[in-house]
Amino acid sequence: MISLNATFVQNMSIVHPEYFFISGLSGIPYSSYYYIFLFFSYFIAVIGNSVVLLVIALERSLHSPKYIGVFNLALADMGEANALIPNMMNIFFHSQYISYNACFSSMFFVNLFITLQSVTLAVLAIDRYIAICFPLRYHVIVNNTAMSLVFIILWAFATSLVGLSSSLMTRLSFCKTNVVENYYCDYAPVLEMACNDNSINTFMGNLVLALFFVVPMFIIFLSYMGILLALSKITTWEKRLKALKTCVSHLLLVISFFFPIICIFIASLITSFSQNARVITSSLSLSLPPMLNPIIYVLNTAEIRVIIRKLLKNRTVPIRKIISK
């Protein structure tokens, strides 16, 4: 066991290690190739989400409720990619040690942006439901002000609740070990290391899981049940497909985010994962959506494709004039 350089607080009853040791991948040959793959996924995620953010911010025709949601999703993707993957790369190339404060800061930011991804997908599902089921009232119910207010409330609520759950971890005493058997300071593995009463922390973890994962999945499910019911009342297949086509991008985003998490959860109930298998599967489930989301939206959204082509064309024309001179 790695020796603990501990400070004692609260009348010598709470043990806070100076550092945590992130175990990451261990004993896997050619594990460097996996980290190289993560680096490229990070590069694509940053570039792709930056393009989506800039296109939506600069193009006035995209200043609509739907794209306010897409903008927030890209912002959450960018935040998660920057909070998670560079720390994983640091473990491989630099050091597996992380300071006590940096551990819980990392926990806060990763969990915050993951929860924001989840609730944003739920808001976009409701947006699609209203657009298809109440098309004549859509612009009355959903507008830029209402959508912006919804996301301000969600960001404030998520920040408060995730911040509270992370800050409550500091009341725990880590006298068993300081080895985190994961690739970052994940909530559950760190909680398992505590040697005093962690019932409040367990409750907060379950509350965050319920509010920001179970509830959004339930909302998305109900929204698409309502959409399918509305589509069944449309007489022609052409109109059904046209309406359903507007949901394709969102459905792909939902699948890329929730499906890996659900599969890992079900698999963990059926069989036990080795540490390396758990690290690889969970890291892929969190690092791939930020990379795939901008690709999905650019490829499946005609408005964004047209605007990107227009911007590229406007850029290349002056360059051609300069070369011709």
Side-chain angles (χ1 to χ4, degrees):
M1 182 186 296
I2 297 173
S3 61
L4 300 180
N5 185 356
T7 58
F8 293 84
V9 294
Q10 296 182 359
N11 298 324
M12 307 294 287
S13 61
I14 303 296
V15 178
H16 288 171
E18 185 178 353
Y19 294 98
F20 287 106
F21 182 84
I22 309 296
S23 62
L25 294 172
S26 59
I28 295 183
Y30 309 111
S31 60
S32 58
Y33 292 109
Y34 181 66
Y35 288 99
I36 291 171
F37 166 76
L38 289 179
F39 171 77
F40 280 107
S41 68
Y42 171 72
F43 179 78
I44 295 170
V46 171
I47 296 299
N49 286 293
S50 297
V51 169
V52 172
L53 289 171
L54 285 172
V55 167
I56 294 174
L58 297 176
E59 183 59 41
R60 293 185 63 85
S61 64
L62 297 181
H63 294 178
S64 63
K66 174 186 173 181
Y67 287 105
I68 290 174
V70 176
F71 185 91
N72 274 272
L73 182 62
L75 201 60
D77 287 339
M78 180 79 82
E80 190 212 321
N82 282 293
L84 185 66
I85 299 179
N87 285 335
M88 295 172 63
M89 304 302 294
N90 182 63
I91 290 171
F92 179 74
F93 289 107
H94 182 56
S95 173
Q96 291 178 260
Y97 289 92
I98 184 171
S99 69
Y100 179 84
N101 291 329
C103 177
F104 292 112
S105 295
S106 172
M107 178 188 295
F108 166 74
F109 284 109
V110 173
N111 291 341
L112 172 65
F113 290 118
I114 292 172
T115 57
L116 287 170
Q117 285 176 302
S118 179
V119 295
T120 300
L121 290 172
V123 172
L124 287 171
I126 296 172
D127 174 81
R128 291 299 83 208
Y129 169 76
I130 297 172
I132 292 174
C133 298
F134 306 99
L136 299 179
R137 298 180 59 192
Y138 175 79
H139 293 290
V140 177
I141 301 171
V142 182
N143 53 57
N144 289 355
T145 303
M147 189 66 84
S148 300
L149 185 60
V150 165
F151 279 110
I152 289 171
I153 293 171
L154 287 176
W155 275 75
F157 183 62
T159 302
S160 301
L161 203 58
V162 174
L164 178 61
S165 66
S166 299
S167 63
L168 284 174
M169 297 292 280
T170 59
R171 62 176 288 278
L172 297 177
S173 181
F174 301 99
C175 56
K176 294 179 181 178
T177 179
N178 66 341
V179 179
V180 181
E181 295 185 351
N182 213 316
Y183 56 97
Y184 79 104
C185 287
D186 195 7
Y187 193 88
V190 175
L191 189 60
E192 291 175 357
M193 295 160 52
C195 52
N196 59 338
D197 180 35
N198 61 8
S199 55
I200 295 176
N201 304 85
T202 302
F203 170 77
M204 287 301 301
N206 291 333
L207 181 64
V208 170
L209 183 67
L211 291 178
F212 293 109
F213 288 96
V214 178
V215 171
M217 281 194 292
F218 187 65
I219 290 172
I220 292 168
F221 176 77
L222 288 181
S223 297
Y224 276 99
M225 287 299 100
I227 288 171
L228 290 175
L229 183 62
L231 292 178
S232 66
K233 297 177 181 179
I234 299 176
T235 54
T236 62
W237 276 102
E238 291 79 6
K239 291 182 179 179
R240 289 179 187 176
L241 292 174
K242 185 178 179 181
L244 192 59
K245 198 174 181 180
T246 64
C247 301
V248 170
S249 296
H250 180 260
L251 277 172
L252 291 174
L253 297 179
V254 169
I255 292 169
S256 70
F257 182 80
F258 286 106
F259 186 71
I261 297 174
I262 294 171
C263 288
I264 292 171
F265 177 74
I266 294 173
S268 65
L269 295 177
I270 298 172
T271 183
S272 59
F273 279 115
S274 66
Q275 179 188 331
N276 288 329
R278 186 174 66 252
V279 167
I280 291 174
T281 53
S282 58
S283 61
L284 284 175
S285 69
L286 295 183
S287 59
L288 288 181
M291 177 186 74
L292 295 175
N293 289 352
I295 297 173
I296 290 170
Y297 254 107
V298 169
L299 293 179
N300 287 281
T301 308
E303 298 98 324
I304 293 180
R305 291 201 307 271
V306 170
I307 290 166
I308 290 176
R309 288 198 200 101
K310 188 190 300 182
L311 291 173
L312 291 174
K313 186 177 180 181
N314 292 338
R315 288 277 185 179
T316 55
V317 168
I319 295 174
R320 288 175 182 173
K321 288 182 178 178
I322 292 171
I323 293 173
S324 63
K325 290 180 181 179

